[in-house]
Each structure stands twice: as C-alpha cells, then as structure tokens.
C-alpha cells in the first residue's frame, strides 16, 4: 500500500484557503490524490506574508508526479516546494 507524502508549499497567498489550495492540486492529481491541506499563516518582522502549507498526497509517486509537473511549469506558479515522508 502506498505511503502518503507531504509537500511543503511556500508563497501561500494571504487570501488563499485550504480549499483553494486543495482544488489546485486536485486539478493535477484528482480528488483521491490529495489527502489533506494545512496552511500555516505567518508574517516576518517587516509584516511580509511568509505563509506556507503542507499538502498531504496519497503516495510518493503522486508527489513525484506533482513535482515533475511543477518543474515543467504546469502547476501553481513560482512557489518553492520541498517534500518528505
């Protein structure tokens, strides 16, 4: 059985909700590929938005597919993503 995998997503907009982010990922991996989204709202000492999110995907293979699409410019834009299990 596949092990879930999390992607760290930087650059989450101030008005972006967990549902918004889930919908963006589901466009590329389908509803079954996204197990959860959790946004952490933050600002640095200057007040600049530094919010980020963890997106839990159903498997490392799904995460790798998303990363591949991102690197080829097909997903979300300019945010930086890291990943881990």
């Amino acid at each position: 059985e596949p092990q879930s995998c999390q992607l760290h997503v930087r650059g989450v907009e101030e008005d972006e909700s967990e549902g918004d982010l889930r919908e963006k990922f589901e466009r590329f991996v389908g509803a079954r590929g996204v197990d959860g989204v959790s946004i952490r709202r933050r600002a640095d000492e200057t007040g600049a938005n530094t919010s980020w999110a963890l997106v839990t995907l159903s498997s490392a293979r799904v995460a790798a597919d998303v990363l591949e699409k991102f690197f080829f410019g097909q997903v979300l834009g300019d945010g930086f993503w890291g990943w881990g299990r």
Side-chain angles (χ1 to χ4, degrees):
E1 182 164 312
Q3 185 177 16
S4 66
C5 189
Q6 291 183 319
L7 292 179
H8 177 264
V9 181
R10 283 183 22 192
V12 175
E13 299 294 329
E14 291 178 19
D15 62 345
E16 192 165 31
S17 72
E18 291 175 351
D20 294 336
L21 199 53
R22 176 184 283 272
E23 285 179 20
K24 287 180 181 179
F25 276 87
E26 286 178 350
R27 278 186 276 170
F28 294 92
V29 301
R32 290 185 169 181
V34 181
D35 290 344
V37 175
S38 180
I39 293 177
R40 299 292 183 250
R41 302 283 177 197
R42 294 185 177 242
D44 68 14
E45 58 279 348
T46 69
N49 178 31
T50 58
S51 297
W52 54 275
L54 287 177
V55 178
T56 304
L57 301 170
S58 60
S59 70
R61 179 72 248 158
V62 170
D65 288 346
V66 169
L67 288 172
E68 181 178 315
K69 289 175 182 176
F70 170 73
F71 287 118
F72 287 106
Q74 299 172 1
V75 180
L76 301 184
D78 295 329
F80 171 81
W81 302 7
W83 65 309
R85 289 187 185 172

